[in-house]
Amino acid sequence: MIIRGDEPEQIRLIKKLYKPGNYFMQGNEAVAYGAIFAGCRFYAGYPITPSSEIAETMARELPKLGGYYLQMEDEIGSIAAMVGASWTGLKVMTATAGPGFSLMQENLGYAVMTETPLVLVDVQRSGPSTGQATKGAQGDFFQARWGTHGDHPIVAVSPTSGQDAFWETIRAFNIAEKLRTPVLVLFDGVLAHTRELVKIPDVEEVEITYRKLPRNEEEARLPFGDPHGDGVPPMPLFGHGYFTHVTGSTHKENGLRDVYTPEVHDRLVRRLHRKIEQNRHVYEKYEEYFTDDAEILVVSWGVTARPALGAVLKAREEGIKAGLFVPKTVHPFPGEQMRALGKKVRAVLVPEMNLGQMILEVQRYVNDDVLLKGVNKIGGVPLTVKEILREIRGVA
């Protein structure tokens, strides 16, 4: 495990505080412990249902590790504090829900433009507006991708269980550090408040990534990174003696503003996109079940992937050749794999707790001769195995 500067002491503390074993905990708690094991030592947030237990857990645990917890005046201040803390070298996280996620969008765009690694957990709840404050949903799929303005890349992962939340939070930190970018964790109110078995590993079993730092002044002045490498520039931290200019405005290769020259803006924004696209191996992840011979493919994500798998298993028992595709990284969407699977099946069903969002991404990669149908449910109650199975039978 790598936590820059004091790795041996941090490992000793984690070994002392968190014994490996099986624990019964909420999904929100699993997210918090995943962040701690990933090396997060700064959390700034504002309490909002159904994410508040993440903040409560971080407030209790971070001081034990020499970390920092700040309850800010609102969600705008929360993500602003995270950006500042990240530039001092700390790994940082915040958690919120739909209304708070809306308030964070401006500074999320700032983090993209300034290439600031951070992890933002959105525990989705029913909307629009205040909606059903205590109920889960999956209505923020496109808010995650396009919530902030302008042309920008974004990476978002989506866990399917409490155990998955632990590991996907760690993965989110690793992606953020490796690519110097904000990473979103699209969780939901159902999994957040579900208590289930979560296995906590020995800390030395956890593979951790830390951001690339400049080795000299020359590297610190090359925000464009190595053109022959991964395209990710080293991060010259505040307080380390480098001349560091950080701005959300369009800037030149030396980091200084140039908001007038079209070519400067073009080079900068295209590089931000290219940095993400050419490193798909860092973040792309999906799971497949029974797709080798599937004639009906179910595509689902997050909390709905669990009853979807149950429905596929039941369908198989009935002789229906159903399979399941679960994107674990939902943005950028694993389109090429979706395209390959779409060529093999007669029908695609997309269950989700909204009125049809991921299905629009699926539609981009499925031929017109394939039946494509959404299985949608809102109101704060998750889809069931029975409901999804009924749709599979209907298509079959």
Side-chain angles (χ1 to χ4, degrees), residues 141-142 333 350 352 354-366 372 374 376:
F141 181 84
F142 279 119
F333 191 75
V350 186
E352 44 186 340
N354 56 47
L355 293 181
Q357 295 193 23
M358 179 179 277
I359 192 173
L360 298 178
E361 280 282 11
V362 174
Q363 186 177 37
R364 297 169 59 199
Y365 300 100
V366 175
L372 177 61
N376 307 104

Side-chain angles (χ1 to χ4, degrees), residues 84-118:
S86 183
W87 274 93
T88 71
L90 290 170
K91 293 187 179 184
V92 302
M93 184 179 80
T94 191
T96 188
F101 192 35
S102 298
L103 290 173
M104 291 183 178
Q105 293 297 335
E106 181 183 1
N107 276 330
L108 178 60
Y110 180 78
V112 171
M113 192 63 146
T114 58
E115 300 182 76
T116 303
L118 59 85

Side-chain angles (χ1 to χ4, degrees), residues 295 313-322:
E295 297 178 354
L313 291 170
K314 291 284 187 183
R316 285 264 160 183
E317 291 174 3
E318 298 177 10
I320 302 172
K321 291 184 177 179

